[in-house]
Amino acid sequence: MINNSGPKSMDLAALAAEGHLADLAPLFDAPSIDDPAKKVRDTVTPAVIVNANVSGKDLVLNYTVSHRALWYNAALFADKGWKVPATWEEFTALGETAKREGILLFAYPGQKGPYYQLWNVLYTAAKIGGNQVILDLDNLVDNAWNAEPMKRAVTVWVDIQTRYGDKAYFGLDHTQTQIKQLQNKVLFYPVGSWIENEMAKDKPQDFEYAIAPIPEVTGSDKMPYGAIQVGVGENFVVAAKGKNPQGGLEYLRIMLSKEGARSFTEKTKNVTVVNGAAEGVDLPAGLLSAARAQDRAGQNIITEARFEGWYKELFDYGTEQINVVMAGRITPRSSAPTCRRRPTTSSGTTRSPSRRGASDRWSGCASTVSSPDSSPFPSRSTRSSSSAPTCRRSSSR
């Protein structure tokens, strides 16, 4: 059994293509430990089953629920009498106020964590244009990266970085940046609800993590203020070619019991996907804030970007290049690439996208510009992956 998470996580599509991942369908169909009359699949949040699929099989268990948006120190805001901004105008006004006090409005880690800002841009684009923006990216729709919501999202965040950020943070990793926030040198940080546990040993007593939705950008965003990204993560897999894959499946079944899940939450302060497992657990302020934000969001949940796991090469390259546009080395308008798909058979002949399967090749994201002004996102027309899974999204849930 492998916990495949973090900056150096393995490419699940490639592992699946080579037969290294055990089928988890027997796990999901097994009797649950708490109630043998129920299957395991009926004791977890539905997103677990939806997100388990890689290349047409259930190969991945996402174990935790995460809330991604902007995180801040609620105690500092209370002390200063500051209001959490709901509009972009309020956001930039707070930036001016914070600047006068020597505090950055926003920062993200340029090393070992720039994908936090890639997520932030994607979720901002989804707020502006709806979840279809991310669905189109996942489905490799032509010009998806060139859609107006994407360009607008990049533009507004580059503006925030230019006016209220500090390029020195491009040289910091996630821990160093998070320490800066604990020192009240940064107001908002784009990350997930795991941060509270991750920084538990360094967090001062007077620092209170809380989550803030991304402010309204245009005044007519398709998703209302309050929409946040809620998803499942922290994926676990079982090695199909290991010495005891059955033992790995049973270990995961134990993890999916209420006792196993409750123990995980108590130790890590992360809520799991097991229904009811967190009842009675003393949760810290940040998780309570996230739970309340999820309740307020209701059905207005920003979908996750599935291409992160489906096309790891695409996501990794986008992660590497996000600093390029945020640092102002190219303009936001020239940053959006043209993503296109060239499904081919193993012999190299093009075939219909509707028949796209495990032997398809993704051509990458092509830009007509090859100078330093080319896209900061995946933009090499020759990049390809022979391990592209059978992946297609028709809805956000």
Side-chain angles (χ1 to χ4, degrees):
M1 190 275 291
I2 302 167
N3 179 196
N4 184 49
S5 297
K8 296 184 179 180
S9 60
M10 295 178 288
D11 187 336
L12 293 176
L15 292 175
E18 295 174 5
H20 288 298
L21 304 183
D23 189 350
L24 301 189
L27 165 68
F28 295 138
D29 289 330
S32 72
I33 288 178
D34 297 300
D35 183 357
K38 288 185 177 181
K39 294 180 179 180
V40 168
R41 69 172 62 245
D42 298 322
T43 66
V44 298
T45 185
V48 171
I49 308 304
V50 173
N51 287 272
N53 189 283
V54 179
S55 299
K57 293 183 179 180
D58 293 337
L59 302 177
V60 184
L61 168 65
N62 288 280
Y63 192 59
T64 63
V65 175
S66 65
H67 302 76
R68 297 177 188 170
L70 300 172
W71 287 78
Y72 69 102
N73 180 6
L76 175 65
F77 272 61
D79 181 61
K80 297 287 188 181
W82 291 341
K83 176 187 174 184
V84 175
T87 68
W88 212 256
E89 290 75 16
E90 292 175 354
F91 193 47
T92 56
L94 180 58
E96 295 294 339
T97 300
K99 184 189 291 188
R100 288 193 291 270
E101 300 206 16
I103 305 173
L104 298 180
L105 175 65
F106 166 84
Y108 75 93
Q111 306 295 319
K112 294 185 179 179
Y115 55 87
Y116 289 174
Q117 178 58 8
L118 180 56
W119 285 339
N120 193 35
V121 167
L122 295 176
Y123 302 153
T124 303
K127 280 183 67 77
I128 296 169
N131 277 330
Q132 191 63 45
V133 174
I134 293 179
L135 297 182
D136 287 348
L137 295 176
D138 284 347
N139 289 332
L140 305 181
V141 171
D142 285 347
N143 293 315
W145 289 88
N146 204 36
E148 281 303 316
M150 279 297 300
K151 291 191 286 189
R152 185 67 179 271
V154 173
T155 299
V156 296
W157 280 111
V158 168
D159 179 64
I160 292 296
Q161 173 64 40
T162 302
R163 296 167 64 188
Y164 308 113
D166 184 346
K167 289 184 180 180
Y169 283 73
F170 295 153
L172 302 185
D173 65 22
H174 61 297
T175 302
Q176 293 167 325
T177 306
Q178 288 158 196
I179 289 290
K180 295 285 189 182
Q181 187 184 34
L182 292 178
Q183 296 169 343
N184 288 326
K185 295 181 179 180
V186 174
L187 288 189
F188 291 103
Y189 182 65
V191 72
S193 47
W194 59 83
I195 188 174
E196 191 165 30
N197 176 66
E198 190 169 280
M199 302 307 292
K201 294 180 180 179
D202 299 295
K203 186 176 75 68
Q205 288 293 321
D206 61 351
F207 193 100
E208 182 181 326
Y209 276 115
I211 193 170
I214 297 169
E216 174 90 4
V217 178
T218 67
S220 58
D221 293 354
K222 284 197 175 180
M223 300 188 78
Y225 174 74
I228 61 172
Q229 202 284 322
V230 181
V232 292
E234 199 68 24
N235 63 69
F236 289 80
V237 297
V238 173
K241 299 178 182 180
K243 292 183 178 180
N244 186 13
Q246 190 59 42
L249 293 175
E250 181 61 16
Y251 190 92
L252 293 182
R253 191 171 79 100
I254 295 171
M255 286 176 58
L256 291 171
S257 68
K258 286 187 177 181
E259 181 181 358
R262 186 177 297 113
S263 177
F264 182 91
T265 297
E266 289 172 345
K267 288 181 172 63
T268 70
K269 303 304 179 185
N270 285 294
V271 177
T272 74
V273 297
V274 180
N275 296 330
E279 293 175 7
V281 178
D282 185 19
L283 297 177
L287 282 184
L288 287 175
S289 169
R292 290 166 183 160
Q294 181 176 343
D295 289 342
R296 289 192 294 269
Q299 296 300 308
N300 296 304
I301 301 298
I302 300 172
T303 190
E304 61 195 302
R306 299 291 299 281
F307 73 84
E308 177 178 353
W310 290 349
Y311 306 104
K312 191 173 186 297
E313 185 181 25
L314 168 60
F315 186 80
D316 285 350
Y317 192 68
T319 295
E320 293 168 6
Q321 296 301 306
I322 189 68
N323 290 346
V324 176
V325 66
M326 292 299 293
R329 284 152 53 192
I330 64 172
T331 65
R333 283 287 167 178
S334 67
S335 71
T338 301
C339 287
R340 67 174 180 266
R341 183 181 52 180
R342 289 181 190 163
T344 59
T345 64
S346 57
S347 63
T349 58
T350 301
R351 68 182 186 180
S352 167
S354 65
R355 297 173 54 203
R356 187 164 173 261
S359 63
D360 294 340
R361 294 180 181 273
W362 165 66
S363 70
C365 298
S367 173
T368 57
V369 184
S370 59
S371 69
D373 283 337
S374 62
S375 167
F377 297 112
S379 58
R380 303 179 189 175
S381 61
T382 57
R383 294 175 74 87
S384 65
S385 171
S386 59
S387 60
T390 305
C391 304
R392 185 94 191 152
R393 296 188 69 182
S394 57
S395 70
S396 62
R397 301 301 295 271

